[in-house]
Amino acid sequence: MRHVTIDSGHDYNRPMREAMYGWLDRWLRGRGDGSPVPEPEVRHEDPALLRCYPDAPSRPATIVTIPTFAHREAAARIAAVPRAPDHVQAWEAEAVAIRAALADEVLGGLPQAAPPRAKVAFDANRRLWTIEMSPEPGLSLRGFLREASLREGEVAPQGLVILSGEEDVTPESALAMGQAWVRAGYATFVVELRALGRLKPDTSEVAGAVDHNEAEWGIWIGRPLIGQWVFDLLQWIEVIGEVQARVSIGANAILAHLPLSLHGRGATGTAAILASAFAPKVTTTVAEGSLVRFVGPVPLPWSSIRMGLIAPGILKLGDVGRLASLTAPRRLVVVGGVGTDGEVLPKDQLEAAFVHARTVYGNYSADAALVLKTSLEEAGLPPER
């Protein structure tokens, strides 16, 4: 084996090729000493001569573009998924199989044990707890816990909200991100997930995807990034349950018995929808500005959306709207949902994306628990006391 380093871009240039020729000559053909072998000059063919169909009119109608082909195949998979059952018992039996397949065959496996005991530190000036945890060996994540703003006479917060997003999580950003919830009487826990914010690998954008490389790595190891984000969220839920018994937050001391909510923004909102399927402790899930469908009525480009959301095989189980049914009958709030082109869906298309979930929630007589709106304000979040 020989390691040759050549400073170059994303290519396989002539010095690289000539080094390989020499190596192959020595070890596969028994010739030379392994030194680079000069490459003969190559005459490039006229691209027009290489085209199967030189222009659009000559191309048969059966030949389609890759986006059109992908959309057609994806739509066929969605069409093959069973419709929502008309009663709760049938859905709950179906949901058991969907959860198992989602966890093991799509997301790459979920936590089998709680993480080690988290490290906790208190910043008295900011009234902010820093919590560090290791969701699995070799990885450390941070979160910031803040007490609620209680009114006179109130003895406990309205609830505890775990918030996540794509940006860096710092004490300052945590204070800003949770401010509205704090004013509404909720304790907030702003957490970071792997490969986002400060933990995003220093990789360049590829074809408009800011996380192309790390998303690709996740696929290679059978653990797509969205599965790893779900993994982290589930571990954070375990951590906050353990930490609540250890910290006293002034008037917010009784945290262990508070209603628990998940609020994800951007890519983490889609992850929150999937995580809630495996977290019965979560009473409310909020997805803000998040991808809510992989397949729309027409082919669309993938733009302004993290590639880490792509999980091979997910459409065999359904689109986001069907997987969201696993949260029923607990509250699910989707605001400003977007398509693969990064554009916010109009209200009618948002409803169409969640028609399966709407049926399942109806079976539970919990129609009001599924909230589909275009903004947090329209959804009444954070709620007024």
Side-chain angles (χ1 to χ4, degrees), residues 150-156 251 385:
L150 301 183
R151 295 175 180 173
E152 185 176 351
E154 292 181 332
V155 296
R385 283 182 284 173

mmCIF file of all heavy atoms in Angstrom, residues 150-156 251 385:
data_model
loop_
_atom_site.group_PDB
_atom_site.id
_atom_site.type_symbol
_atom_site.label_atom_id
_atom_site.label_comp_id
_atom_site.label_asym_id
_atom_site.label_seq_id
_atom_site.Cartn_x
_atom_site.Cartn_y
_atom_site.Cartn_z
ATOM 1 N N LEU A 150 -42.779 33.586 36.394
ATOM 2 C CA LEU A 150 -44.053 33.326 37.061
ATOM 3 C C LEU A 150 -44.709 34.625 37.513
ATOM 4 O O LEU A 150 -44.039 35.558 37.934
ATOM 5 C CB LEU A 150 -43.846 32.410 38.266
ATOM 6 C CG LEU A 150 -43.222 31.044 37.990
ATOM 7 C CD1 LEU A 150 -43.160 30.225 39.277
ATOM 8 C CD2 LEU A 150 -44.010 30.306 36.926
ATOM 9 N N ARG A 151 -46.011 34.647 37.403
ATOM 10 C CA ARG A 151 -46.765 35.793 37.890
ATOM 11 C C ARG A 151 -47.027 35.651 39.385
ATOM 12 O O ARG A 151 -46.896 34.561 39.950
ATOM 13 C CB ARG A 151 -48.088 35.905 37.133
ATOM 14 C CG ARG A 151 -47.919 36.217 35.648
ATOM 15 C CD ARG A 151 -49.244 36.199 34.940
ATOM 16 N NE ARG A 151 -49.095 36.507 33.514
ATOM 17 C CZ ARG A 151 -50.070 36.440 32.627
ATOM 18 N NH1 ARG A 151 -51.280 36.037 33.003
ATOM 19 N NH2 ARG A 151 -49.842 36.746 31.359
ATOM 20 N N GLU A 152 -47.429 36.747 39.994
ATOM 21 C CA GLU A 152 -47.709 36.731 41.425
ATOM 22 C C GLU A 152 -48.798 35.703 41.723
ATOM 23 O O GLU A 152 -49.836 35.657 41.068
ATOM 24 C CB GLU A 152 -48.161 38.118 41.883
ATOM 25 C CG GLU A 152 -48.348 38.219 43.391
ATOM 26 C CD GLU A 152 -48.694 39.621 43.832
ATOM 27 O OE1 GLU A 152 -48.627 40.551 42.994
ATOM 28 O OE2 GLU A 152 -49.055 39.792 45.008
ATOM 29 N N GLY A 153 -48.508 34.868 42.687
ATOM 30 C CA GLY A 153 -49.485 33.848 43.066
ATOM 31 C C GLY A 153 -49.265 32.506 42.399
ATOM 32 O O GLY A 153 -49.802 31.492 42.853
ATOM 33 N N GLU A 154 -48.497 32.466 41.298
ATOM 34 C CA GLU A 154 -48.219 31.201 40.616
ATOM 35 C C GLU A 154 -47.119 30.460 41.364
ATOM 36 O O GLU A 154 -46.122 31.056 41.771
ATOM 37 C CB GLU A 154 -47.806 31.431 39.168
ATOM 38 C CG GLU A 154 -48.932 31.957 38.291
ATOM 39 C CD GLU A 154 -48.499 32.161 36.848
ATOM 40 O OE1 GLU A 154 -47.300 32.424 36.615
ATOM 41 O OE2 GLU A 154 -49.362 32.069 35.964
ATOM 42 N N VAL A 155 -47.279 29.153 41.522
ATOM 43 C CA VAL A 155 -46.304 28.374 42.282
ATOM 44 C C VAL A 155 -45.489 27.431 41.401
ATOM 45 O O VAL A 155 -44.510 26.852 41.856
ATOM 46 C CB VAL A 155 -47.008 27.554 43.387
ATOM 47 C CG1 VAL A 155 -47.651 28.484 44.396
ATOM 48 C CG2 VAL A 155 -48.040 26.610 42.782
ATOM 49 N N ALA A 156 -45.907 27.260 40.145
ATOM 50 C CA ALA A 156 -45.194 26.343 39.258
ATOM 51 C C ALA A 156 -45.338 26.810 37.818
ATOM 52 O O ALA A 156 -46.309 27.490 37.466
ATOM 53 C CB ALA A 156 -45.721 24.917 39.410
ATOM 54 N N ALA A 251 -38.678 29.262 42.233
ATOM 55 C CA ALA A 251 -40.096 28.905 42.288
ATOM 56 C C ALA A 251 -40.426 27.798 41.304
ATOM 57 O O ALA A 251 -41.523 27.249 41.316
ATOM 58 C CB ALA A 251 -40.953 30.131 41.993
ATOM 59 N N ARG A 385 -51.252 33.028 29.113
ATOM 60 C CA ARG A 385 -51.756 32.505 30.387
ATOM 61 C C ARG A 385 -53.044 33.214 30.753
ATOM 62 O O ARG A 385 -53.254 34.359 30.400
ATOM 63 C CB ARG A 385 -50.721 32.718 31.476
ATOM 64 C CG ARG A 385 -49.576 31.716 31.410
ATOM 65 C CD ARG A 385 -48.598 31.939 32.529
ATOM 66 N NE ARG A 385 -47.751 33.115 32.275
ATOM 67 C CZ ARG A 385 -46.890 33.632 33.149
ATOM 68 N NH1 ARG A 385 -46.800 33.088 34.336
ATOM 69 N NH2 ARG A 385 -46.165 34.675 32.856
#
